[in-house]
Amino acid sequence: MAPRRVRVERLIAVLGAAVLILGVLLLWLVTRSGGLGGGEPSAEDRARAQLRDHIGPDAVVRYTEAGRRRAVCGYVTDQQGQLVVFISRPNRILLETDPLKSEFDEMLRDVCPGFLTRAPAARGARR
């Protein structure tokens, strides 16, 4: 028997198909939700990171509520142990104790309507 030879045309076709399959696999990995980088963190995780940077590593988020346009509103315990209201946007964090109180109030009404206007029983009033 004569040794079998691989034809150049067949080799090119097989390598071309392998490149196409790898390209499709890579495109699928990049375009799925999260891609290769792990995706964007959740809004609550983003708020925790912003508060850690703004208040410090000992900031404790007590409550969060989703707002409009990817905003998160909630309560955080600051370094003095006081409960502070915050609004977290993708590119900004505002606390009720910031000097821009009117801007905070306006943003609270805009992105988290009804956040501080619930009935006392809804927030755990005495029974």
Side-chain angles (χ1 to χ4, degrees):
M1 251 203 227
R4 193 168 179 170
R5 300 185 72 202
V6 178
R7 299 172 81 186
V8 174
E9 293 85 11
R10 180 175 282 179
L11 182 63
I12 290 174
V14 169
L15 290 176
V19 167
L20 285 175
I21 291 171
L22 287 175
V24 168
L25 179 66
L26 184 63
L27 183 66
W28 176 74
L29 284 173
V30 170
T31 58
R32 68 182 180 151
S33 67
L36 296 174
E40 185 176 320
S42 70
E44 287 81 14
D45 292 338
R46 180 197 70 227
R48 283 186 185 88
Q50 288 174 331
L51 289 165
R52 234 184 347 263
D53 292 342
H54 191 71
I55 295 177
D58 52 345
V60 179
V61 177
R62 299 294 181 182
Y63 173 77
T64 61
E65 183 176 296
R68 296 179 185 160
R69 297 187 301 272
R70 297 178 18 189
V72 175
C73 302
Y75 298 100
V76 64
T77 305
D78 64 2
Q79 294 171 338
Q80 290 80 27
Q82 296 178 333
L83 203 59
V84 179
V85 177
F86 71 88
I87 302 170
S88 169
R89 302 281 307 266
N91 58 350
R92 185 169 193 192
I93 184 98
L94 278 177
L95 301 175
E96 70 177 337
T97 57
D98 288 343
L100 303 170
K101 181 68 174 151
S102 61
E103 183 180 354
F104 176 84
D105 293 338
E106 182 180 325
M107 188 178 291
L108 187 65
R109 282 190 303 272
D110 182 35
V111 297
C112 294
F115 179 66
L116 297 176
T117 59
R118 286 186 177 69
R123 285 193 262 164
R126 292 183 195 155
R127 295 178 189 187

